Amino acid sequence: MTQTDTRVGPATAGPTPGRARPFWTTRRRDQLTGYLFITPQLLGSAVFVILPLVLVVWYSLHEWNVLAGTFDFVGTDNYQALADDPNLGAVLRATGLFSVGLVVFNLALALLLAVLLNQKLRGTILFRTLFFSPVVVSLVAWTIVWGFLLQDNGGLNSLLDTVGVDGPNWLRGEGTAMLSVIVVQVFKNVGLNMVLFLAALQGVPAELYEAAQVDGASRLRQFWRITVPLISPTIMLTSIITVVGSLQVFAQIAVLTQGGPGTSTTVLVYYLYQQAFQFHHFGYGATLSIVLFAIVLALTVLQWQMRKRWVFHES
Amino acid sequence: MRARKALRGIAVALAGALALTACGGGGGESADNGPAKLRMTVWSANEAHLKLFNEIADEYRKSHPDVAEIKFDPLPFDNYTTTLTTQIAGGNAPDLAWVFENSAPDFVASGALQPLDDTLKKAEGYQYDDLSPATLKLWQNDGKLYAYPFSTSPFGVFVNTDMVKKAGQKTPAELIAAGQWTWDNALATAAAAGAKSGKAGLVIRDFDYKGWDNLSTFWTGWGAQAWSEDGKTCGFNSPEMVEAMTTLHKATFTQKALPGPGTTADFFAGDSAMTVTQISRASLLKDGGFGWDLVPLPAGPKGNYAVVGQAGLGVMKKSPHAKQAADFLAFFTNPTNSAKLAQFFPPPRQSQLTAETLAKTNPKLKPEQLQKVVIDGITNGVVKPSHAGQAELSQQVRAGLDPLWQPNADVKAVLDGVCAKIQPLLAK
């Protein structure tokens, strides 16, 4: 009596002439398992990413009067309105200013804090916790508290007053309002980037610094020649996250300045919200959201392409 | 083959999009077969208000088994209209909704609301003719009434008499008696009281250098208007407005009668000597807090005047239970319930606009205060500015006025700038 060894399949024995190849091969079973694992994610992406994207494009071709209940096809009228919008320049300027300010301040401060807190000194754990704690605080609560601090007669100016400095009306000045919103956002999220930088710094081999010290390299030279190149993948990651996040800022603007004074802090997402939900121009709001999507996509692709130039190594 | 599959995928996605669009834009037009569940959006979460509403609703449901539930849904005051329109866009429109006066032209003219005349006139014992025609004006279109003005609330000046007396100033009541209750004197009194106490002088409540429509309580005294009666011409750079805003600017930055931008002061917490607000805020006064008075708005260069804020109650046309909702609205606002609501919301019923009636439900206010501020105010007052597309206009005016709130602002130039911004919107 012979027994067929099913573990030795056609791959090793070769197909038996005149006998059908079994459908459920190991390869197919593995493929099915893989597809089943990613099905929830694919469904989620289809329903919550792809479909809304298609919907937004569809809405941008329509004039939707919510109150009147009308939904009329207008073709490219909303895109023409975009080209003719007198506010768009100011809005894009404010958006760019916020993004640049946030990225520069956030990454620089996060890296500085990470380098400082990477030292083997007493109390670093406490400081790491302190700097990270705003990340877990409710964004709106954080912003409201900062709103009080930044008032003309608020906490910050009272503090400045004690050292004889007459502080500005932070949220009312065209220049200081944007600076205030950036600073509030930097302090909110700097801890997250700081933790990522800390993790990267701890992955830099100590022997590289030792070798550099033997060669007589200064601390600053070590930082630029060893630290920055070796943590460049993390710099890349944090810059993408921060840039994308900066383009989506909303709650801070809504709570602190409502886009003012003038239109100095009216960033694209806030303008989109105004057009769609306050002015009831839902079609135009959809068109603006496509502009936002295009900007985010372009910047992300650009950053991804630039990694070849300045990211030291990638696995 | 691959292209065909891709096309099929796009078709499915678009079909889904269309289906969702229909849901979003359509707003639940399919009627339920069972008893109706009504929802009314309101901007008050005040427990006393909601208790009264629920009592009226419970009484209605006793005699109307076709209505299973009436829910009052408080939305945040600051974003009320935005939230309401978002609910409508999302296919979750309420059956009944409160509407601010500044949204009235949009809601009334768009056809979003159901006409109410027939239902109200036919309702037993409703006394439709008792409604003051002046209070209905904002809510009518082509002779039809689209919302019931359940609250017509005049602005007055609440005064912290303790603070005014401590500053050695005549109280507003004394100034009124002497025929000297003018804005000049009011601002001087506020400045003196503020300087003496170290607190704020006069606060135009809810203005905060953003909610500019509340300034109509001030500039109307100069005969100024945000725009012409027909809504086509900007009024911000009129000589009257320039004069009014120049006075306000000086009062803020030179005289220090008003707290400057970015400074908060709550009259009812004792932080300021006076506040311009509506009488419904009297409920915020604490017993034994400080001596206070309520007086009419001071006279401007053009004499005495009054400004009122209004709120309407309408039935959404797309409500699957619009008939029951309109019937409930008729019950909610009939003479009996209107008298109950009058304790919080000055009613549009002429028969109930008497000091005696209002005094019964406004224990904190004296009959003469009710007569001078409320009844005379409703009779003679102008409504705060409202216009079709008010949200966009409001935003443009806010942004245009921002440069005015600087100590060295050129008032005329700023106001010219406001008109340059909004004239194209007004001309639409």
Side-chain angles (χ1 to χ4, degrees):
Chain A
M1 190 174 161
T2 53
Q3 188 177 0
T4 309
D5 187 356
T6 53
R7 288 170 299 176
V8 182
T12 52
T16 310
R19 195 170 159 189
R21 185 177 169 174
F23 182 77
W24 285 113
T25 60
T26 307
R27 186 160 166 256
R28 284 204 162 122
R29 271 201 301 269
D30 286 350
Q31 282 178 340
L32 178 68
T33 308
Y35 282 126
L36 284 175
F37 270 118
I38 64 168
T39 296
Q41 174 65 29
L42 283 177
L43 282 175
S45 296
V47 173
F48 296 112
V49 179
I50 308 295
L51 186 60
L53 265 174
V54 175
L55 273 174
V56 165
V57 175
W58 182 248
Y59 290 155
S60 75
L61 303 173
H62 290 78
E63 183 58 56
W64 181 5
N65 186 329
V66 171
L67 292 180
T70 56
F71 189 72
D72 302 320
F73 184 78
V74 294
T76 56
D77 282 8
N78 285 323
Y79 291 89
Q80 185 58 49
L82 188 72
D84 299 337
D85 190 338
N87 296 317
L88 194 64
V91 169
L92 291 177
R93 251 195 318 279
T95 309
L97 195 59
F98 180 83
S99 293
V100 171
L102 183 71
V103 171
V104 170
F105 280 122
N106 192 325
L107 294 189
L109 187 62
L111 188 55
L112 179 69
L113 288 172
V115 169
L116 291 175
L117 296 177
N118 196 33
Q119 311 300 315
K120 291 187 176 67
L121 297 170
R122 286 172 68 120
T124 49
I125 301 287
L126 175 68
F127 281 107
R128 284 178 196 175
T129 311
L130 277 177
F131 285 116
F132 186 75
S133 55
V135 176
V136 296
V137 172
S138 151
L139 175 61
V140 174
W142 172 264
T143 312
I144 289 171
V145 170
W146 268 99
F148 284 115
L149 292 176
L150 291 167
Q151 279 182 4
D152 195 26
N153 59 345
L156 186 60
N157 280 351
S158 300
L159 207 62
L160 290 173
D161 197 37
T162 58
V163 292
V165 176
D166 191 14
N169 200 344
W170 296 99
L171 298 172
R172 294 285 174 168
E174 294 239 345
T176 54
M178 177 57 87
L179 181 69
S180 304
V181 176
I182 291 171
V183 168
V184 170
Q185 177 66 357
V186 165
F187 286 148
K188 175 76 177 71
N189 278 339
V190 73
L192 188 62
N193 285 345
M194 180 196 75
V195 166
L196 293 171
F197 282 135
L198 260 174
L201 286 172
Q202 286 166 3
V204 179
E207 55 265 31
L208 291 178
Y209 293 113
E210 289 162 7
Q213 277 171 353
V214 169
D215 290 343
S218 67
R219 295 293 290 265
L220 194 63
R221 197 169 178 79
Q222 288 175 40
F223 178 76
W224 285 115
R225 294 292 182 177
I226 298 172
T227 309
V228 171
L230 287 180
I231 66 166
S232 55
T234 306
I235 296 176
M236 166 82 188
L237 170 75
T238 50
S239 65
I240 290 180
I241 293 173
T242 311
V243 166
V244 172
S246 72
L247 290 167
Q248 295 169 349
V249 64
F250 173 76
Q252 298 87 324
I253 302 288
V255 173
L256 288 177
T257 64
Q258 287 148 41
T263 52
S264 62
T265 58
T266 306
V267 295
L268 194 51
V269 176
Y270 191 73
Y271 189 55
L272 186 164
Y273 160 78
Q274 281 185 328
Q275 289 290 339
F277 297 101
Q278 291 188 321
F279 307 162
H280 312 147
H281 300 155
F282 281 87
Y284 189 57
T287 311
L288 288 168
S289 69
I290 289 172
V291 172
L292 178 67
F293 176 74
I295 292 173
V296 171
L297 187 67
L299 284 177
T300 308
V301 169
L302 182 71
Q303 282 177 301
W304 191 247
Q305 290 302 317
M306 280 172 62
R307 83 192 191 283
K308 291 169 191 162
R309 287 172 182 265
W310 61 271
V311 173
F312 181 66
H313 67 85
E314 280 188 303
S315 57
Chain B
M1 183 73 181
R2 208 176 270 175
R4 201 184 303 162
K5 276 185 179 174
L7 276 175
R8 202 186 301 158
I10 292 169
V12 169
L14 282 175
L18 281 170
L20 284 179
T21 305
C23 291
E29 287 179 27
S30 61
D32 295 344
N33 291 326
K37 289 184 176 178
L38 302 180
R39 184 168 68 94
M40 183 199 293
T41 54
V42 298
W43 62 71
S44 170
N46 183 308
E47 280 183 26
H49 294 176
L50 295 174
K51 184 170 176 283
L52 175 60
F53 299 160
N54 281 311
E55 282 170 7
I56 295 173
D58 290 345
E59 197 184 333
Y60 177 78
R61 284 181 48 240
K62 280 179 195 166
S63 54
H64 291 79
D66 58 327
V67 176
E69 182 186 350
I70 300 170
K71 184 183 170 191
F72 298 95
D73 186 7
L75 305 180
F77 179 83
D78 288 341
N79 295 311
Y80 179 82
T81 305
T82 304
T83 310
L84 176 59
T85 45
T86 306
Q87 286 191 357
I88 296 169
N92 183 32
D95 303 285
L96 302 102
W98 285 7
V99 181
F100 280 118
E101 79 274 299
N102 58 17
S103 311
D106 284 335
F107 273 81
V108 170
S110 65
L113 301 173
Q114 172 160 303
L116 297 170
D117 312 58
D118 293 342
T119 306
L120 298 184
K121 283 174 183 169
K122 282 179 194 164
E124 196 180 330
Y126 194 79
Q127 300 170 24
Y128 185 86
D129 292 339
D130 188 29
L131 303 180
S132 161
T135 62
L136 301 181
K137 202 176 157 189
L138 189 61
W139 309 97
Q140 288 172 321
N141 191 27
D142 291 335
K144 288 277 180 191
L145 182 71
Y146 286 87
Y148 170 90
F150 76 92
S151 176
T152 301
S153 189
F155 284 83
V157 182
F158 281 91
V159 184
N160 183 327
T161 48
D162 291 348
M163 216 184 270
V164 170
K165 284 175 188 167
K166 273 182 192 162
Q169 299 293 307
K170 284 184 184 173
T171 63
E174 290 166 339
L175 288 169
I176 290 170
Q180 296 171 347
W181 182 231
T182 62
W183 269 113
D184 281 348
N185 288 330
L187 292 172
T189 305
K196 176 75 178 173
S197 63
K199 296 182 176 177
L202 182 139
V203 173
I204 298 178
R205 197 175 169 94
D206 300 325
F207 163 47
D208 192 27
Y209 298 88
K210 291 174 190 159
W212 57 268
D213 56 342
N214 290 292
L215 290 181
S216 63
T217 57
F218 184 82
W219 70 50
T220 306
W222 278 253
Q225 289 179 302
W227 36 74
S228 56
E229 287 293 336
D230 64 1
K232 299 281 184 193
T233 311
C234 176
F236 275 94
N237 57 357
S238 67
E240 295 84 2
M241 185 66 88
V242 173
E243 199 184 332
M245 289 302 219
T246 303
T247 305
L248 186 72
H249 189 268
K250 279 183 187 161
T252 305
F253 294 100
T254 309
Q255 201 176 3
K256 309 279 186 195
L258 281 80
T263 308
T264 52
D266 180 6
F267 171 85
F268 297 98
D271 296 340
S272 74
M274 300 180 195
T275 189
V276 175
T277 191
Q278 289 164 293
I279 64 148
S280 52
R281 304 296 176 96
S283 58
L284 297 172
L285 287 160
K286 294 178 182 71
D287 290 332
F290 50 79
W292 63 274
D293 195 4
L294 171 64
V295 294
L297 294 171
K302 292 283 167 72
N304 291 315
Y305 66 101
V307 177
V308 297
Q310 268 201 327
L313 171 58
V315 172
M316 302 305 298
K317 196 185 264 180
K318 288 196 171 179
S319 161
H321 310 294
K323 189 174 175 301
Q324 289 101 322
D327 192 56
F328 172 64
L329 190 151
F331 180 80
F332 192 75
T333 61
N334 68 23
T336 309
N337 290 322
S338 172
K340 292 177 187 169
L341 292 166
Q343 65 182 293
F344 303 115
F345 310 105
R349 291 186 173 277
Q350 295 169 91
S351 62
Q352 292 174 353
L353 278 175
T354 63
E356 293 75 31
T357 309
L358 294 175
K360 285 178 197 163
T361 48
N362 289 279
K364 289 192 171 176
L365 300 177
K366 290 177 258 177
E368 61 266 29
Q369 289 173 325
L370 290 164
Q371 180 65 46
K372 280 182 187 166
V373 182
V374 184
I375 297 164
D376 293 353
I378 291 174
T379 311
N380 308 315
V382 297
V383 181
K384 281 168 68 184
S386 63
H387 198 285
Q390 174 92 2
E392 192 169 2
L393 269 170
S394 190
Q395 166 61 20
Q396 292 290 349
V397 174
R398 197 274 301 153
L401 282 178
D402 275 341
L404 186 62
W405 314 126
Q406 302 289 338
N408 53 355
D410 180 339
V411 177
K412 177 75 169 73
V414 171
L415 295 176
D416 281 340
V418 172
C419 279
K421 274 176 179 278
I422 69 167
Q423 190 55 55
L425 294 172
L426 295 173
K428 270 184 188 174

